[in-house]
PDB file of all heavy atoms in Angstrom:
ATOM      1  N   LEU A   1     103.571  94.088  97.716  1.00  0.00           N
ATOM      2  CA  LEU A   1     104.011  92.917  96.957  1.00  0.00           C
ATOM      3  C   LEU A   1     105.305  93.161  96.196  1.00  0.00           C
ATOM      4  O   LEU A   1     105.788  92.267  95.502  1.00  0.00           O
ATOM      5  CB  LEU A   1     102.925  92.475  95.969  1.00  0.00           C
ATOM      6  CG  LEU A   1     101.618  91.934  96.565  1.00  0.00           C
ATOM      7  CD1 LEU A   1     100.715  91.413  95.459  1.00  0.00           C
ATOM      8  CD2 LEU A   1     101.884  90.839  97.576  1.00  0.00           C
ATOM      9  N   GLY A   2     105.864  94.364  96.298  1.00  0.00           N
ATOM     10  CA  GLY A   2     107.080  94.671  95.561  1.00  0.00           C
ATOM     11  C   GLY A   2     106.837  94.803  94.069  1.00  0.00           C
ATOM     12  O   GLY A   2     107.765  94.572  93.271  1.00  0.00           O
ATOM     13  N   MET A   3     105.628  95.195  93.680  1.00  0.00           N
ATOM     14  CA  MET A   3     105.286  95.338  92.270  1.00  0.00           C
ATOM     15  C   MET A   3     105.728  96.734  91.798  1.00  0.00           C
ATOM     16  O   MET A   3     104.926  97.617  91.506  1.00  0.00           O
ATOM     17  CB  MET A   3     103.785  95.125  92.069  1.00  0.00           C
ATOM     18  CG  MET A   3     103.327  93.726  92.479  1.00  0.00           C
ATOM     19  SD  MET A   3     101.516  93.543  92.539  1.00  0.00           S
ATOM     20  CE  MET A   3     101.065  93.644  90.800  1.00  0.00           C
ATOM     21  N   ALA A   4     107.035  96.897  91.695  1.00  0.00           N
ATOM     22  CA  ALA A   4     107.620  98.219  91.502  1.00  0.00           C
ATOM     23  C   ALA A   4     107.305  98.818  90.131  1.00  0.00           C
ATOM     24  O   ALA A   4     107.374 100.042  89.962  1.00  0.00           O
ATOM     25  CB  ALA A   4     109.129  98.142  91.691  1.00  0.00           C
ATOM     26  N   SER A   5     106.969  97.984  89.159  1.00  0.00           N
ATOM     27  CA  SER A   5     106.701  98.489  87.810  1.00  0.00           C
ATOM     28  C   SER A   5     105.215  98.575  87.507  1.00  0.00           C
ATOM     29  O   SER A   5     104.831  98.822  86.361  1.00  0.00           O
ATOM     30  CB  SER A   5     107.378  97.586  86.768  1.00  0.00           C
ATOM     31  OG  SER A   5     108.782  97.604  86.921  1.00  0.00           O
ATOM     32  N   THR A   6     104.371  98.401  88.517  1.00  0.00           N
ATOM     33  CA  THR A   6     102.922  98.382  88.335  1.00  0.00           C
ATOM     34  C   THR A   6     102.319  99.702  88.788  1.00  0.00           C
ATOM     35  O   THR A   6     102.714 100.256  89.812  1.00  0.00           O
ATOM     36  CB  THR A   6     102.301  97.229  89.122  1.00  0.00           C
ATOM     37  OG1 THR A   6     102.885  95.998  88.673  1.00  0.00           O
ATOM     38  CG2 THR A   6     100.793  97.166  88.931  1.00  0.00           C
ATOM     39  N   SER A   7     101.362 100.203  88.018  1.00  0.00           N
ATOM     40  CA  SER A   7     100.725 101.466  88.343  1.00  0.00           C
ATOM     41  C   SER A   7      99.320 101.506  87.775  1.00  0.00           C
ATOM     42  O   SER A   7      98.986 100.790  86.825  1.00  0.00           O
ATOM     43  CB  SER A   7     101.536 102.633  87.769  1.00  0.00           C
ATOM     44  OG  SER A   7     100.880 103.880  87.998  1.00  0.00           O
ATOM     45  N   SER A   8      98.486 102.380  88.350  1.00  0.00           N
ATOM     46  CA  SER A   8      97.167 102.657  87.806  1.00  0.00           C
ATOM     47  C   SER A   8      97.133 104.036  87.138  1.00  0.00           C
ATOM     48  O   SER A   8      96.054 104.597  86.936  1.00  0.00           O
ATOM     49  CB  SER A   8      96.111 102.579  88.913  1.00  0.00           C
ATOM     50  OG  SER A   8      96.019 101.269  89.431  1.00  0.00           O
ATOM     51  N   ARG A   9      98.296 104.560  86.809  1.00  0.00           N
ATOM     52  CA  ARG A   9      98.408 105.865  86.132  1.00  0.00           C
ATOM     53  C   ARG A   9      99.079 105.684  84.781  1.00  0.00           C
ATOM     54  O   ARG A   9     100.166 105.105  84.688  1.00  0.00           O
ATOM     55  CB  ARG A   9      99.228 106.847  86.967  1.00  0.00           C
ATOM     56  CG  ARG A   9      98.695 107.145  88.366  1.00  0.00           C
ATOM     57  CD  ARG A   9      99.632 108.117  89.071  1.00  0.00           C
ATOM     58  NE  ARG A   9      99.216 108.421  90.428  1.00  0.00           N
ATOM     59  CZ  ARG A   9      99.598 107.725  91.509  1.00  0.00           C
ATOM     60  NH1 ARG A   9     100.404 106.666  91.353  1.00  0.00           N
ATOM     61  NH2 ARG A   9      99.194 108.072  92.703  1.00  0.00           N
ATOM     62  N   TYR A  10      98.467 106.234  83.751  1.00  0.00           N
ATOM     63  CA  TYR A  10      99.050 106.150  82.412  1.00  0.00           C
ATOM     64  C   TYR A  10     100.397 106.873  82.360  1.00  0.00           C
ATOM     65  O   TYR A  10     101.326 106.420  81.678  1.00  0.00           O
ATOM     66  CB  TYR A  10      98.088 106.740  81.393  1.00  0.00           C
ATOM     67  CG  TYR A  10      98.585 106.689  79.965  1.00  0.00           C
ATOM     68  CD1 TYR A  10      98.663 105.481  79.287  1.00  0.00           C
ATOM     69  CD2 TYR A  10      98.971 107.848  79.302  1.00  0.00           C
ATOM     70  CE1 TYR A  10      99.106 105.417  77.971  1.00  0.00           C
ATOM     71  CE2 TYR A  10      99.415 107.802  77.984  1.00  0.00           C
ATOM     72  CZ  TYR A  10      99.494 106.587  77.326  1.00  0.00           C
ATOM     73  OH  TYR A  10      99.938 106.536  76.032  1.00  0.00           O
ATOM     74  N   ALA A  11     100.527 107.972  83.081  1.00  0.00           N
ATOM     75  CA  ALA A  11     101.788 108.729  83.079  1.00  0.00           C
ATOM     76  C   ALA A  11     102.942 107.866  83.559  1.00  0.00           C
ATOM     77  O   ALA A  11     104.075 108.008  83.076  1.00  0.00           O
ATOM     78  CB  ALA A  11     101.651 109.980  83.945  1.00  0.00           C
ATOM     79  N   ASP A  12     102.693 106.974  84.501  1.00  0.00           N
ATOM     80  CA  ASP A  12     103.749 106.079  84.977  1.00  0.00           C
ATOM     81  C   ASP A  12     104.111 105.061  83.899  1.00  0.00           C
ATOM     82  O   ASP A  12     105.281 104.706  83.735  1.00  0.00           O
ATOM     83  CB  ASP A  12     103.302 105.349  86.247  1.00  0.00           C
ATOM     84  CG  ASP A  12     103.182 106.293  87.436  1.00  0.00           C
ATOM     85  OD1 ASP A  12     103.812 107.372  87.418  1.00  0.00           O
ATOM     86  OD2 ASP A  12     102.448 105.948  88.377  1.00  0.00           O
ATOM     87  N   PHE A  13     103.107 104.582  83.167  1.00  0.00           N
ATOM     88  CA  PHE A  13     103.381 103.628  82.083  1.00  0.00           C
ATOM     89  C   PHE A  13     104.321 104.234  81.051  1.00  0.00           C
ATOM     90  O   PHE A  13     105.305 103.597  80.644  1.00  0.00           O
ATOM     91  CB  PHE A  13     102.071 103.195  81.434  1.00  0.00           C
ATOM     92  CG  PHE A  13     102.245 102.438  80.146  1.00  0.00           C
ATOM     93  CD1 PHE A  13     102.759 101.151  80.145  1.00  0.00           C
ATOM     94  CD2 PHE A  13     101.905 103.019  78.927  1.00  0.00           C
ATOM     95  CE1 PHE A  13     102.936 100.451  78.951  1.00  0.00           C
ATOM     96  CE2 PHE A  13     102.072 102.333  77.737  1.00  0.00           C
ATOM     97  CZ  PHE A  13     102.594 101.042  77.756  1.00  0.00           C
ATOM     98  N   VAL A  14     104.029 105.440  80.598  1.00  0.00           N
ATOM     99  CA  VAL A  14     104.836 106.012  79.512  1.00  0.00           C
ATOM    100  C   VAL A  14     106.217 106.441  79.978  1.00  0.00           C
ATOM    101  O   VAL A  14     107.099 106.688  79.143  1.00  0.00           O
ATOM    102  CB  VAL A  14     104.098 107.182  78.819  1.00  0.00           C
ATOM    103  CG1 VAL A  14     102.821 106.698  78.175  1.00  0.00           C
ATOM    104  CG2 VAL A  14     103.819 108.314  79.791  1.00  0.00           C
ATOM    105  N   LYS A  15     106.446 106.500  81.277  1.00  0.00           N
ATOM    106  CA  LYS A  15     107.791 106.805  81.785  1.00  0.00           C
ATOM    107  C   LYS A  15     108.753 105.640  81.606  1.00  0.00           C
ATOM    108  O   LYS A  15     109.974 105.824  81.613  1.00  0.00           O
ATOM    109  CB  LYS A  15     107.728 107.177  83.271  1.00  0.00           C
ATOM    110  CG  LYS A  15     107.147 108.557  83.556  1.00  0.00           C
ATOM    111  CD  LYS A  15     107.084 108.783  85.057  1.00  0.00           C
ATOM    112  CE  LYS A  15     106.412 110.119  85.385  1.00  0.00           C
ATOM    113  NZ  LYS A  15     106.264 110.288  86.867  1.00  0.00           N
ATOM    114  N   HIS A  16     108.226 104.433  81.476  1.00  0.00           N
ATOM    115  CA  HIS A  16     109.074 103.245  81.355  1.00  0.00           C
ATOM    116  C   HIS A  16     109.645 103.154  79.948  1.00  0.00           C
ATOM    117  O   HIS A  16     108.897 103.119  78.965  1.00  0.00           O
ATOM    118  CB  HIS A  16     108.285 101.977  81.658  1.00  0.00           C
ATOM    119  CG  HIS A  16     107.910 101.807  83.092  1.00  0.00           C
ATOM    120  ND1 HIS A  16     108.786 101.355  84.048  1.00  0.00           N
ATOM    121  CD2 HIS A  16     106.741 102.040  83.736  1.00  0.00           C
ATOM    122  CE1 HIS A  16     108.176 101.312  85.222  1.00  0.00           C
ATOM    123  NE2 HIS A  16     106.939 101.718  85.060  1.00  0.00           N
ATOM    124  N   ALA A  17     110.959 103.073  79.854  1.00  0.00           N
ATOM    125  CA  ALA A  17     111.567 102.826  78.537  1.00  0.00           C
ATOM    126  C   ALA A  17     111.252 101.414  78.066  1.00  0.00           C
ATOM    127  O   ALA A  17     111.039 101.181  76.870  1.00  0.00           O
ATOM    128  CB  ALA A  17     113.080 103.031  78.616  1.00  0.00           C
ATOM    129  N   ASP A  18     111.204 100.472  79.017  1.00  0.00           N
ATOM    130  CA  ASP A  18     110.919  99.072  78.697  1.00  0.00           C
ATOM    131  C   ASP A  18     109.419  98.838  78.751  1.00  0.00           C
ATOM    132  O   ASP A  18     108.881  98.288  79.708  1.00  0.00           O
ATOM    133  CB  ASP A  18     111.654  98.164  79.684  1.00  0.00           C
ATOM    134  CG  ASP A  18     111.522  96.687  79.336  1.00  0.00           C
ATOM    135  OD1 ASP A  18     110.893  96.372  78.302  1.00  0.00           O
ATOM    136  OD2 ASP A  18     112.041  95.849  80.104  1.00  0.00           O
ATOM    137  N   ARG A  19     108.711  99.296  77.717  1.00  0.00           N
ATOM    138  CA  ARG A  19     107.264  99.134  77.671  1.00  0.00           C
ATOM    139  C   ARG A  19     106.849  98.613  76.300  1.00  0.00           C
ATOM    140  O   ARG A  19     107.525  98.855  75.294  1.00  0.00           O
ATOM    141  CB  ARG A  19     106.541 100.440  77.980  1.00  0.00           C
ATOM    142  CG  ARG A  19     106.692 101.528  76.941  1.00  0.00           C
ATOM    143  CD  ARG A  19     105.897 102.783  77.347  1.00  0.00           C
ATOM    144  NE  ARG A  19     105.907 103.780  76.287  1.00  0.00           N
ATOM    145  CZ  ARG A  19     106.802 104.735  76.141  1.00  0.00           C
ATOM    146  NH1 ARG A  19     107.816 104.832  77.008  1.00  0.00           N
ATOM    147  NH2 ARG A  19     106.722 105.608  75.151  1.00  0.00           N
ATOM    148  N   ALA A  20     105.733  97.899  76.290  1.00  0.00           N
ATOM    149  CA  ALA A  20     105.231  97.299  75.058  1.00  0.00           C
ATOM    150  C   ALA A  20     104.300  98.262  74.354  1.00  0.00           C
ATOM    151  O   ALA A  20     103.429  98.874  74.972  1.00  0.00           O
ATOM    152  CB  ALA A  20     104.495  95.998  75.373  1.00  0.00           C
ATOM    153  N   ALA A  21     104.476  98.409  73.040  1.00  0.00           N
ATOM    154  CA  ALA A  21     103.567  99.196  72.224  1.00  0.00           C
ATOM    155  C   ALA A  21     102.308  98.392  71.928  1.00  0.00           C
ATOM    156  O   ALA A  21     102.308  97.156  71.995  1.00  0.00           O
ATOM    157  CB  ALA A  21     104.249  99.609  70.923  1.00  0.00           C
ATOM    158  N   LEU A  22     101.242  99.087  71.607  1.00  0.00           N
ATOM    159  CA  LEU A  22     100.005  98.450  71.178  1.00  0.00           C
ATOM    160  C   LEU A  22     100.049  98.235  69.672  1.00  0.00           C
ATOM    161  O   LEU A  22     100.519  99.099  68.930  1.00  0.00           O
ATOM    162  CB  LEU A  22      98.801  99.333  71.528  1.00  0.00           C
ATOM    163  CG  LEU A  22      98.629  99.729  73.001  1.00  0.00           C
ATOM    164  CD1 LEU A  22      97.455 100.677  73.155  1.00  0.00           C
ATOM    165  CD2 LEU A  22      98.452  98.505  73.882  1.00  0.00           C
ATOM    166  N   HIS A  23      99.544  97.081  69.223  1.00  0.00           N
ATOM    167  CA  HIS A  23      99.595  96.742  67.793  1.00  0.00           C
ATOM    168  C   HIS A  23      98.237  96.310  67.267  1.00  0.00           C
ATOM    169  O   HIS A  23      97.510  95.568  67.940  1.00  0.00           O
ATOM    170  CB  HIS A  23     100.587  95.601  67.539  1.00  0.00           C
ATOM    171  CG  HIS A  23     102.009  95.934  67.821  1.00  0.00           C
ATOM    172  ND1 HIS A  23     102.526  95.925  69.107  1.00  0.00           N
ATOM    173  CD2 HIS A  23     103.032  96.278  66.993  1.00  0.00           C
ATOM    174  CE1 HIS A  23     103.812  96.241  69.044  1.00  0.00           C
ATOM    175  NE2 HIS A  23     104.145  96.460  67.790  1.00  0.00           N
ATOM    176  N   VAL A  24      97.927  96.755  66.050  1.00  0.00           N
ATOM    177  CA  VAL A  24      96.778  96.258  65.290  1.00  0.00           C
ATOM    178  C   VAL A  24      97.290  95.801  63.928  1.00  0.00           C
ATOM    179  O   VAL A  24      98.380  96.197  63.495  1.00  0.00           O
ATOM    180  CB  VAL A  24      95.693  97.339  65.120  1.00  0.00           C
ATOM    181  CG1 VAL A  24      95.068  97.686  66.452  1.00  0.00           C
ATOM    182  CG2 VAL A  24      96.268  98.595  64.455  1.00  0.00           C
ATOM    183  N   ARG A  25      96.509  94.955  63.268  1.00  0.00           N
ATOM    184  CA  ARG A  25      96.909  94.499  61.936  1.00  0.00           C
ATOM    185  C   ARG A  25      96.458  95.502  60.864  1.00  0.00           C
ATOM    186  O   ARG A  25      95.284  95.853  60.792  1.00  0.00           O
ATOM    187  CB  ARG A  25      96.285  93.135  61.632  1.00  0.00           C
ATOM    188  CG  ARG A  25      97.021  91.968  62.264  1.00  0.00           C
ATOM    189  CD  ARG A  25      96.629  90.669  61.596  1.00  0.00           C
ATOM    190  NE  ARG A  25      97.161  89.504  62.266  1.00  0.00           N
ATOM    191  CZ  ARG A  25      98.376  89.011  62.076  1.00  0.00           C
ATOM    192  NH1 ARG A  25      99.195  89.615  61.202  1.00  0.00           N
ATOM    193  NH2 ARG A  25      98.771  87.939  62.709  1.00  0.00           N
ATOM    194  N   LEU A  26      97.401  95.952  60.066  1.00  0.00           N
ATOM    195  CA  LEU A  26      97.103  96.787  58.915  1.00  0.00           C
ATOM    196  C   LEU A  26      97.665  96.083  57.693  1.00  0.00           C
ATOM    197  O   LEU A  26      98.874  95.848  57.612  1.00  0.00           O
ATOM    198  CB  LEU A  26      97.723  98.176  59.069  1.00  0.00           C
ATOM    199  CG  LEU A  26      97.145  99.063  60.188  1.00  0.00           C
ATOM    200  CD1 LEU A  26      97.886 100.394  60.253  1.00  0.00           C
ATOM    201  CD2 LEU A  26      95.658  99.299  59.977  1.00  0.00           C
ATOM    202  N   ASP A  27      96.776  95.748  56.771  1.00  0.00           N
ATOM    203  CA  ASP A  27      97.189  95.010  55.574  1.00  0.00           C
ATOM    204  C   ASP A  27      97.977  93.746  55.940  1.00  0.00           C
ATOM    205  O   ASP A  27      98.963  93.396  55.303  1.00  0.00           O
ATOM    206  CB  ASP A  27      98.014  95.899  54.653  1.00  0.00           C
ATOM    207  CG  ASP A  27      97.231  97.110  54.162  1.00  0.00           C
ATOM    208  OD1 ASP A  27      96.023  96.944  53.901  1.00  0.00           O
ATOM    209  OD2 ASP A  27      97.819  98.196  54.060  1.00  0.00           O
ATOM    210  N   GLY A  28      97.525  93.090  57.032  1.00  0.00           N
ATOM    211  CA  GLY A  28      98.129  91.826  57.440  1.00  0.00           C
ATOM    212  C   GLY A  28      99.406  91.951  58.240  1.00  0.00           C
ATOM    213  O   GLY A  28     100.009  90.930  58.589  1.00  0.00           O
ATOM    214  N   VAL A  29      99.811  93.176  58.578  1.00  0.00           N
ATOM    215  CA  VAL A  29     101.082  93.385  59.284  1.00  0.00           C
ATOM    216  C   VAL A  29     100.799  94.036  60.632  1.00  0.00           C
ATOM    217  O   VAL A  29     100.043  95.018  60.724  1.00  0.00           O
ATOM    218  CB  VAL A  29     102.021  94.297  58.453  1.00  0.00           C
ATOM    219  CG1 VAL A  29     103.311  94.574  59.222  1.00  0.00           C
ATOM    220  CG2 VAL A  29     102.325  93.648  57.105  1.00  0.00           C
ATOM    221  N   TRP A  30     101.411  93.504  61.696  1.00  0.00           N
ATOM    222  CA  TRP A  30     101.267  94.115  63.014  1.00  0.00           C
ATOM    223  C   TRP A  30     101.931  95.495  63.003  1.00  0.00           C
ATOM    224  O   TRP A  30     103.100  95.629  62.664  1.00  0.00           O
ATOM    225  CB  TRP A  30     101.905  93.262  64.098  1.00  0.00           C
ATOM    226  CG  TRP A  30     101.166  91.999  64.423  1.00  0.00           C
ATOM    227  CD1 TRP A  30     101.639  90.730  64.314  1.00  0.00           C
ATOM    228  CD2 TRP A  30      99.832  91.882  64.927  1.00  0.00           C
ATOM    229  NE1 TRP A  30     100.687  89.823  64.704  1.00  0.00           N
ATOM    230  CE2 TRP A  30      99.566  90.501  65.090  1.00  0.00           C
ATOM    231  CE3 TRP A  30      98.835  92.804  65.246  1.00  0.00           C
ATOM    232  CZ2 TRP A  30      98.344  90.022  65.566  1.00  0.00           C
ATOM    233  CZ3 TRP A  30      97.616  92.325  65.715  1.00  0.00           C
ATOM    234  CH2 TRP A  30      97.375  90.965  65.877  1.00  0.00           C
TER     235      TRP A  30
END
């Protein structure tokens, strides 16, 4: 499908500079 940025390996995820961080609310702030 040409899904060049898709992987089932965490190591591939962290290699991407353009990646989203995970966020939780602490004292009302993401």
Side-chain angles (χ1 to χ4, degrees):
L1 293 186
M3 298 169 69
S5 297
T6 302
S7 176
S8 296
R9 301 179 182 90
Y10 181 71
D12 291 338
F13 168 71
V14 297
K15 287 178 184 176
H16 290 281
D18 186 2
R19 68 179 187 270
L22 303 176
H23 294 80
V24 293
R25 280 198 188 276
L26 293 178
D27 299 322
V29 177
W30 288 120

